[in-house]
Amino acid sequence: MIEIQDLSFTYQDEKKPALEGISLSLREGDFLGIIGPAGAGKTTLGRAISGIVPHHYKGDFYGSVTVGGMDTVDSSLIDISRLVGMVFQDVDSQIICPTVEDELLYGLENFGIGRDEIPERIGFALGKVGIPELRERSIGSLSGGQRQKVAIASVIALKPRVLVLDEPTGELDPQSSRQVFTLLRELNEEFGITIVVIEQKIMLLCEFARRLLVLNEGKAVHEGETRQVLSHAEDLENIGVNIPRVATLSRALSRKTGKEIPVCINLDEAEKTARGLMA
Amino acid sequence: MNHVLQYIPGNSVIHRMNPVTKLLLTIIICVCAFMTDNLFFLLGLLAVDLMIGFVAGVAGRTLKIFRGLLMIAAFLFILQALLTRRGTPVFWIITDEGLMGAGRVVLRLIVVCMPLALVLAVTRISDLTNALVQHLHVPYQYAFTLATAIRFIPQFLEEMNGIMEAQTARGVAFDQARGLKKFSMILPLCAPLLISSVRRTDQTAVAAEVRGFRLRTRASAYRRYTFTALDAATFLFCALLLAGAILIR
Ligand SMILES: Nc1ncnc2c1ncn2[C@@H]1O[C@H](COP(=O)(O)OP(=O)(O)OP(=O)(O)O)[C@@H](O)[C@H]1O
Ligand SMILES: [Mg+2]
């Protein structure tokens, strides 16, 4: 679904490349988490997948990005956006319309979704993110977290094949954050939507993402299956990515006992491992 | 955040009017205010303004706008009354013509500004732009630009407040400064604010683009805006106002 080959990108008038030599291959229905410190290039990579880089943000673009068979450089932004939906990091700049319903209507109207299908899509999207009661509200009267949910709803209403979310839980409390990831899992499993989510909350990524990409200073530090990436704990800690305590614990145990212990990514696994060791 | 330009949801007759009709009524009131010099007719127009606000069920907002305008008006009134030299003196250097003239200017200002602010309180901006595109064939791009500009005003003010709070926390005493002094303290903050606004507007443009901005046509809007008997009645009312303004100058 997404093929990135040796991608490097430098924003216009910037000296340092925002991305350097990134390669990535995702199949349809994959669930990728991207993590890394501030300024690592996470947003830029998200923009590259949705074609906003280099169509809107100009600069030196090397390598290639192919989404659903379309080369993002050769295809128009419109054609890419029929396939890829993106939730921006800065929610306030993403919201275009003054009320919740209008915001959802906007994309549906533009992409020519049939009049009879529109109410159903709006109901679906608002229901999925759990804010059907906010439908008539004006954006200005919403909290940051509510606005974030509106932004997510307005993109999933379009039912894109690929969904890119840039820190979608930045304004949310722990419970709502989990809700959003549960929703992403549902979209991923029920509709086979390919998910790319940039997220700082490592616990959520461990639990929900099947693959992880760790970025630092524009380069991919590690990429692969979640558990396997987590086994490089030191590399992650060195660039300031905190890994879950259970993972640290299982690694410490592994070192201490000299036994090969798989990395644990949640409490249940840790418990099982501990019991296994004591037996 | 409840800004004076923010939409207030409702289901009053005013809310249900076609947005084009609301705009027409606003424009007719403005035109009438400029055509007539008759103080009583202007007062009548003011009454119409207030009535619209009350009928729409946004009395609170109406009075808030009215009060705000009164403050500006008081200042203008004094200025105008002091500066007019014609007519017979009534008191000190103030003449009867000065008072009348000042009254007209001030009333006109209030009469014109009230509906302009009210129309945004009772109409969703998107309905306004959709209807303009649908009925008056305004190119969507222009309508969108206007709508976005209006939408960004409250956000701009909110950010301004944020910056001022941050500066206050660092010991800058905004609240003690008044008038020009305060203005000169705020001015330097505008540059960074503008830069961040431009950046943000740019991102909004991308957000619109990836959600099909360029595909939008006159037929895209989901909601349809028809004209009903209510609109016909309002057109009639507009005609009467206009006739009144022509007759009672
Ligand atoms: N529009 C832009 N123009 C110029 N340079 C930019 C632009 N956006 C980002 N950059 C630069 O590119 C680099 C990577 O930024 P990016 O926003 O992709 O990082 P990030 O990992 O998303 O960071 P954060 O966690 O803060 O969101 C940074 O050095 C940043 O200054
Ligand atoms: Mg970012």
Side-chain angles (χ1 to χ4, degrees), chain B residues 197-223:
Chain B
S197 294
V198 167
R199 200 167 268 175
R200 184 161 267 187
T201 316
D202 182 58
Q203 283 195 49
T204 307
V206 197
E209 195 134 331
V210 296
R211 282 196 285 146
F213 174 75
R214 277 170 210 278
L215 296 172
R216 197 173 180 95
T217 62
R218 215 150 65 72
S220 293
Y222 174 69
R223 299 200 194 94

Side-chain angles (χ1 to χ4, degrees), chain A residues 18 21 24 29 66 74 78 95 108 128 167 171 195 206 215 233 235 241 268:
Chain A
L24 180 72
T66 319
D74 298 334
I78 290 284
I95 294 180
L108 294 171
K128 279 278 180 203
E167 308 201 12
E171 300 262 340
I195 309 272
C206 287
L215 278 181
D235 293 352
V241 173
D268 287 348

Side-chain angles (χ1 to χ4, degrees), chain B residues 43-132:
Chain B
L43 278 173
L45 287 175
L46 179 61
V48 171
D49 283 353
L50 291 171
M51 204 182 65
I52 293 174
F54 281 78
V55 170
V58 292
R61 173 74 62 88
T62 311
L63 292 178
K64 194 167 156 195
I65 298 170
F66 187 52
R67 231 175 295 135
L69 285 170
L70 268 185
M71 281 194 322
I72 305 171
F75 177 71
L76 270 181
F77 185 88
I78 295 170
L79 208 64
Q80 178 83 10
L82 285 176
L83 292 179
T84 309
R85 284 279 157 272
R86 275 169 292 114
T88 36
V90 190
F91 159 74
W92 190 36
I93 56 164
I94 298 183
T95 65
D96 56 348
E97 250 182 69
L99 284 178
M100 296 282 278
R104 268 196 291 275
V105 169
V106 160
L107 263 176
R108 203 168 270 155
L109 173 84
I110 299 179
V111 165
V112 166
C113 290
M114 287 260 296
L116 286 176
L118 272 180
V119 78
L120 293 175
V122 296
T123 321
R124 287 198 205 93
I125 299 172
S126 42
D127 284 341
L128 196 59
T129 51
N130 280 342
L132 285 178

Side-chain angles (χ1 to χ4, degrees), chain A residues 11-12 14 16-18 36-45 47 57 89 166-167 198 200 215, chain B residues 199:
Chain A
Y11 285 99
Q12 206 162 38
E14 295 283 318
K16 242 176 106 282
K42 305 182 294 293
T43 297
T44 309
L45 183 57
R47 286 174 179 160
Y57 293 100
Q89 183 167 9
D166 195 349
E167 308 201 12
I198 299 164
Q200 302 285 5
L215 278 181
Chain B
R199 200 167 268 175

